């Protein structure tokens, strides 16, 4: 009887030890996943800050290219607004999803306003260039043409950089829908067999036409990425869930992608991010 009790005690102690080890490993994995989510959020916030800073510098460059006081005043106001949004972003924590989403929406608005001014300043520069050319023809054409060519080369390089910013694509109307085996919206995650992600690429007449590869990245509530492969991003390889190749003509297009569920998906916050041409062009969080 005594031996039986001793054996039972040993078994119980071993079971308790195994349970403690399992719990410690699970806690370690959860902490690692939380750290990875925080790092990606910090990366997203840093990219937004970089964009705001580039836009602020872009306004300064445009103001040096024109002599129109009215437009310079407008550019100054937009630059101040951009700087204010940048300061707000620097004060926000990367984990504040609601405020980050608001400032990302503001960033899209700033980008669109900047594009309109780029086109306006470009138009004024073209008029000015024509006047300079006519005046140069009256004077010493050979000497003056060299000076004009140097100026045109500088302006061409500056405009090329401006067009690169204006040509960046925007993903809007991002949606995430869990579907059951009948392709109907699943009311419970346990019935989900497919995740459908829809998004729209906004109209952008400054972007070049041609095929584009769009990468869709889905993060689960634990921070795990539903991974189907990797793509280059910020000098490293980032996991993606789906990718879509589509022809872009500058007009608005809507795309659909699908993830076939072969793993357990729990309820919670899912984050969908869209990437194209080395940039994150849209992101949204969903509660499923």
């Amino acid at each position: 009887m005594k031996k039986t009790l001793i054996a039972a005690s040993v078994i119980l102690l071993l079971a308790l030890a195994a349970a403690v080890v399992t719990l410690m490993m699970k806690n370690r994995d959860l902490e690692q996943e939380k750290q990875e989510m925080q790092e990606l959020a910090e990366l997203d916030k840093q990219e937004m800050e970089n964009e705001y800073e580039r836009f602020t510098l872009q306004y300064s460059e445009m103001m040096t290219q024109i002599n129109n006081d009215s437009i310079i005043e407008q550019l100054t106001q937009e630059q101040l607004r951009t700087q204010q949004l940048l300061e707000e972003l620097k004060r926000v924590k990367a984990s504040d999803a609601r405020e980050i989403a608001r400032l990302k929406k503001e960033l899209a608005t700033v980008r669109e306003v900047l594009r309109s001014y780029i086109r306006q300043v470009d138009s004024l520069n073209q008029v000015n260039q024509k006047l300079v050319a006519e005046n140069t023809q009256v004077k010493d054409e050979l000497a003056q043409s060299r000076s004009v060519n140097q100026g045109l080369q500088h302006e061409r390089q500056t405009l090329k950089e401006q067009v690169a910013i204006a040509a960046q694509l925007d993903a809007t109307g991002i949606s995430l829908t869990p579907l059951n085996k009948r392709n109907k919206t699943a009311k419970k995650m346990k019935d989900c067999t497919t995740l459908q992600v829809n998004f729209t690429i906004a109209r952008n007449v400054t972007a070049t036409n041609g095929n584009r590869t769009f990468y869709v990245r889905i993060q689960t509530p634990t921070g795990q990425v539903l991974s189907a492969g990797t793509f280059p991003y910020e000098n490293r390889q980032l996991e993606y869930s789906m990718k879509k190749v589509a022809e872009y003509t500058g007009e608005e297009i809507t795309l659909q992608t699908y993830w076939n569920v072969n793993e357990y998906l729990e309820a919670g916050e899912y984050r969908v991010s869209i990437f194209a041409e080395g940039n994150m062009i849209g992101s949204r969080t969903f509660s499923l």
Side-chain angles (χ1 to χ4, degrees):
M1 182 67 177
K2 185 176 181 180
K3 292 182 178 179
T4 303
L5 289 175
I6 293 173
S9 299
V10 170
I11 293 172
L12 179 59
L13 288 173
L14 290 175
L16 288 173
V20 169
V21 171
T22 301
L23 182 60
M24 291 175 62
M25 293 179 65
K26 185 175 182 179
N27 287 338
R28 184 190 63 186
D29 292 340
L30 288 175
E31 288 299 324
Q32 184 177 356
E33 290 172 354
K34 289 181 181 179
Q35 183 178 356
E36 290 177 355
M37 289 181 65
Q38 181 63 27
E39 289 177 355
L40 186 59
E42 292 289 351
L43 180 64
D44 187 18
K45 181 174 180 290
Q46 184 60 53
E47 184 175 340
M48 290 173 59
E49 290 182 8
N50 292 341
E51 281 203 78
Y52 272 119
E53 290 175 352
R54 286 200 300 269
F55 293 162
T56 300
L57 292 175
Q58 193 64 50
Y59 279 117
S60 296
E61 291 180 5
M62 283 194 291
M63 283 188 280
T64 64
Q65 299 172 22
I66 57 175
N67 296 317
N68 188 305
D69 292 339
S70 176
I71 295 181
I72 289 178
E73 182 179 357
Q74 296 174 37
L75 293 175
T76 301
Q77 293 300 319
E78 291 298 331
Q79 185 183 47
L80 291 175
R81 177 173 175 270
T82 303
Q83 290 173 336
Q84 180 181 358
L85 291 170
L86 173 60
E87 293 303 318
E88 292 181 19
L89 178 60
K90 288 182 177 180
R91 292 193 297 267
V92 170
K93 294 183 178 180
S95 57
D96 190 345
R98 178 176 296 180
E99 193 64 9
I100 290 293
R102 180 185 71 82
L103 290 170
K104 183 167 290 186
K105 185 177 181 181
E106 292 284 0
L107 181 61
T109 301
V110 170
R111 185 184 296 115
E112 189 60 35
V113 171
L114 179 59
R115 287 171 179 164
S116 68
Y117 279 115
I118 288 175
R119 291 190 290 267
Q120 190 173 354
V121 171
D122 186 25
S123 177
L124 288 174
N125 283 339
Q126 291 179 5
V127 172
N128 290 335
Q129 291 168 15
K130 183 178 180 181
L131 293 174
V132 170
E134 292 174 352
N135 184 51
T136 302
Q137 188 175 3
V138 176
K139 299 179 180 180
D140 187 354
E141 293 185 358
L142 180 60
Q144 292 296 327
S145 64
R146 292 176 180 174
S147 177
V148 171
N149 286 336
Q150 292 176 354
L152 288 175
Q153 289 177 0
H154 174 72
E155 291 179 6
R156 187 179 298 112
Q157 179 61 32
T158 301
L159 290 174
K160 183 178 179 180
E161 295 173 358
Q162 295 173 353
V163 169
I165 295 176
Q168 182 175 321
L169 302 180
D170 287 324
T172 62
I174 302 172
S175 66
L176 173 63
T177 306
L179 302 176
N180 58 28
K181 61 184 179 181
R182 295 187 299 275
N183 285 331
K184 302 294 184 181
T185 301
K187 296 182 179 180
K188 298 181 179 179
M189 291 304 294
K190 68 177 183 177
D191 298 327
C192 177
T193 60
T194 305
L195 291 175
Q196 178 180 340
V197 175
N198 291 1
F199 57 95
T200 297
I201 303 302
R203 182 175 182 269
N204 187 344
V205 296
T206 61
T208 57
N209 296 346
N211 288 335
R212 297 287 199 283
T213 301
F214 300 96
Y215 295 94
V216 179
R217 178 181 167 95
I218 302 177
Q219 284 182 277
T220 68
T222 63
Q224 178 185 1
V225 177
L226 302 180
S227 179
T230 62
F231 67 99
Y233 178 73
E234 294 287 344
N235 297 322
R236 65 191 181 102
Q237 293 294 313
L238 202 63
E239 291 180 297
Y240 71 86
S241 306
M242 300 93 82
K243 69 177 180 178
K244 184 82 169 183
V245 178
E247 183 179 3
Y248 185 68
T249 62
E251 297 298 325
E252 179 180 283
I253 59 171
T254 299
L255 303 174
Q256 300 85 35
T257 57
Y258 301 89
W259 172 268
N260 294 323
V261 177
N262 294 311
E263 59 278 293
Y264 170 75
L265 296 180
E266 61 181 278
E269 298 290 329
Y270 284 75
R271 181 173 181 177
V272 176
S273 302
I274 313 296
F275 296 81
E277 300 178 317
N279 297 304
M280 182 163 64
I281 62 174
S283 182
R284 185 178 173 188
T285 300
F286 299 86
S287 180
L288 301 182

